[in-house]
Structure formats: C-alpha cells, structure tokens
C-alpha cells in the first residue's frame, strides 16, 4: 500500500468537470471515444503541466508534473512540501525528505501505467463513463490482475489542438482502501523538450539532501 500522501499523486479529477462549459448531452459513443483516448495516450511523447492535488480530507497541494515516455514522470510539489514522486526504471519512487525515507513500487502495479506505457491496450480494461457533456470524455480503468492498483478515471476535454483532439484535464484515483485522490492539470504542454536529468533525485538515505 502506498503512503498516505502518495495516492494523492495517483489520483485526479471530478472537480475538473465543473471547469468545462456544459453542453447538450450527447449520445455515448464508447468505441469511438475510447479509441481516441488510446490514440492520445499512444501519441504522447512528453508533457508538462501544473497540478493541484486534493485528498479525501480536502487538503490541497500544488506543484508541477512532467512526463516523458516511455516510463518517466515527476511530481514536484510546492515549496515547503518535502515530498517527491518520480517514475523511472520501471519503478515509482516515493521520497520523503523529512524522514529520509524512500519507497519504490512497480509502475505496472499503479494506475499511472496508463500514462507511461505506450504499448498498453486500454480497450481491454477501460470503459467510457457518460458525463452528460459532449465536450468531456471520461474513461475509467482498472486492471483485474492488479486489484491493489485501485481504479483510475481519466478526464479529457475535447480540444482540436491537443493530441488526438483530447486535452488531459486530470484524473481521479481510488485506491484499494477506497481513498480518493483528485488531480487537476493546467497549463498543459505537449511535445516539449524534457531532459532525462529531470527525473534524477537525491537519495536522502545517503546524503540527507533535498530534491
């Protein structure tokens, strides 16, 4: 099980629905929308964004999110929060500099594998969730082979300028203990240069250093 704050970074986004203007309900076209989500995820190479993270108690943290495929991401939290989450080398690493603790989890056992594995066929374990808003596409996914990873709902807004015509707005993660974490993204940029050095971190067990 991930530390309490970690699931916050694995979740994200019922609140985003309130940020998208409402439109007349559309007839659900699960196959078409799910295929578009698949194309979006497969076409991603790099992505940067600001994020806000809300836990089940309503606590909000902010920071920056960086993704580089295959297999790399970083949640850099706001100043004063001694937490860093980095994915690289097939593992999701949770670093708590306040107690000099490092914990690692296989990426394949977390919902974030959806964002990091370009070859994953989400149509095998994901479904479109009706939103009543033709500008919003919501996809819920869980892997029956890894129930410990919980469930994640990705939320997209239709945007012709974004990959496959969809803009990832965030996600809502529900872990195996039914703890909900919501992430909202803003300032999304795709295909920008991202150095591999971005995903390096200082090991507090060796140096006592910060991120």
């Amino acid at each position: 099980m991930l530390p309490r704050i970690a699931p916050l970074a694995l979740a994200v986004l019922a609140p985003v629905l309130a940020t998208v203007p409402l439109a007349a309900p559309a007839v659900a076209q699960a196959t078409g929308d799910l295929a578009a989500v698949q194309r979006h995820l497969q076409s991603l190479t790099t992505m940067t964004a600001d994020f806000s993270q809300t836990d089940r108690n309503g606590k909000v943290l902010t920071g920056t999110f960086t993704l580089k495929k295959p297999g790399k991401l970083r949640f850099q939290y706001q100043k004063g929060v001694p937490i860093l989450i980095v994915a690289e080398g097939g593992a999701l690493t949770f670093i708590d500099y306040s107690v000099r603790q490092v914990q690692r989890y296989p990426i394949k056992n977390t919902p974030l594998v959806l964002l990091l594995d370009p070859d994953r066929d989400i149509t095998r374990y994901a479904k479109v969730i009706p939103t009543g808003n033709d500008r919003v596409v919501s996809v819920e996914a869980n892997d029956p082979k890894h129930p410990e990873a919980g469930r994640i709902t990705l939320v997209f807004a239709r945007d012709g300028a974004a990959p496959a015509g969809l803009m990832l707005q965030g996600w809502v993660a529900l872990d195996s203990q039914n703890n909900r974490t919501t992430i909202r993204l803003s300032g999304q940029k795709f295909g920008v240069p991202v150095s591999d050095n971005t995903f390096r971190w200082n090991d507090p067990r060796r140096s006592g250093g910060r991120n």
Side-chain angles (χ1 to χ4, degrees):
M1 179 180 174
L2 297 178
R4 183 176 177 182
I5 193 173
L8 301 182
L10 303 182
V12 112
L13 198 56
V16 76
L17 297 179
T19 71
V20 182
L22 293 179
V27 176
Q29 296 179 346
T31 301
D33 285 340
L34 195 57
V37 170
Q38 178 84 8
R39 291 194 301 272
H40 173 93
L41 296 175
Q42 290 180 338
S43 66
L44 284 182
T45 55
T46 65
M47 177 181 178
T48 61
D50 296 323
F51 75 86
S52 64
Q53 171 185 293
T54 306
D55 69 9
R56 62 176 180 174
N57 298 316
K59 181 178 180 180
V60 178
L61 297 176
T62 62
T64 57
F65 170 72
T66 306
L67 177 147
K68 184 176 184 179
K69 293 170 70 173
K72 296 180 175 67
L73 64 77
R74 181 183 181 110
F75 286 93
Q76 179 71 56
Y77 286 86
Q78 65 198 57
K79 186 176 180 179
V81 177
I83 299 297
L84 178 66
I85 296 175
V86 177
E88 40 75 41
L92 184 71
T93 304
F94 175 86
I95 308 106
D96 186 339
Y97 288 97
S98 66
V99 294
R100 299 187 180 184
Q101 183 180 60
V102 175
Q103 295 177 283
R104 291 171 68 84
Y105 309 89
I107 291 174
K108 67 181 181 180
N109 291 351
T110 78
L112 292 175
V113 71
L114 286 178
L115 299 178
L116 297 175
D117 185 352
D119 299 321
R120 181 159 290 241
D121 181 5
I122 68 168
T123 63
R124 299 176 59 183
Y125 52 88
K127 61 182 179 180
V128 172
I129 304 299
T131 65
N133 184 343
D134 65 359
R135 291 190 59 192
V136 176
V137 177
S138 180
V139 172
E140 180 184 89
N142 68 296
D143 188 344
K145 293 182 179 179
H146 297 284
E148 71 279 5
R151 187 181 305 271
I152 188 169
T153 301
L154 302 176
V155 180
F156 300 84
R158 300 189 192 279
D159 186 333
L166 295 174
M167 178 71 74
L168 178 62
Q169 299 290 295
W171 58 90
V172 178
L174 194 66
D175 67 17
S176 58
Q177 307 299 315
N178 287 322
N179 295 315
R180 177 187 293 264
T181 301
T182 298
I183 300 285
R184 176 182 293 178
L185 303 179
S186 61
Q188 300 93 319
K189 297 179 181 179
F190 303 96
V192 295
V194 174
S195 169
D196 286 342
N197 292 334
T198 302
F199 308 98
R200 294 182 178 178
W201 48 277
N202 295 322
D203 191 334
R205 299 169 298 183
R206 300 173 184 172
S207 63
R210 292 295 303 274
N211 54 323

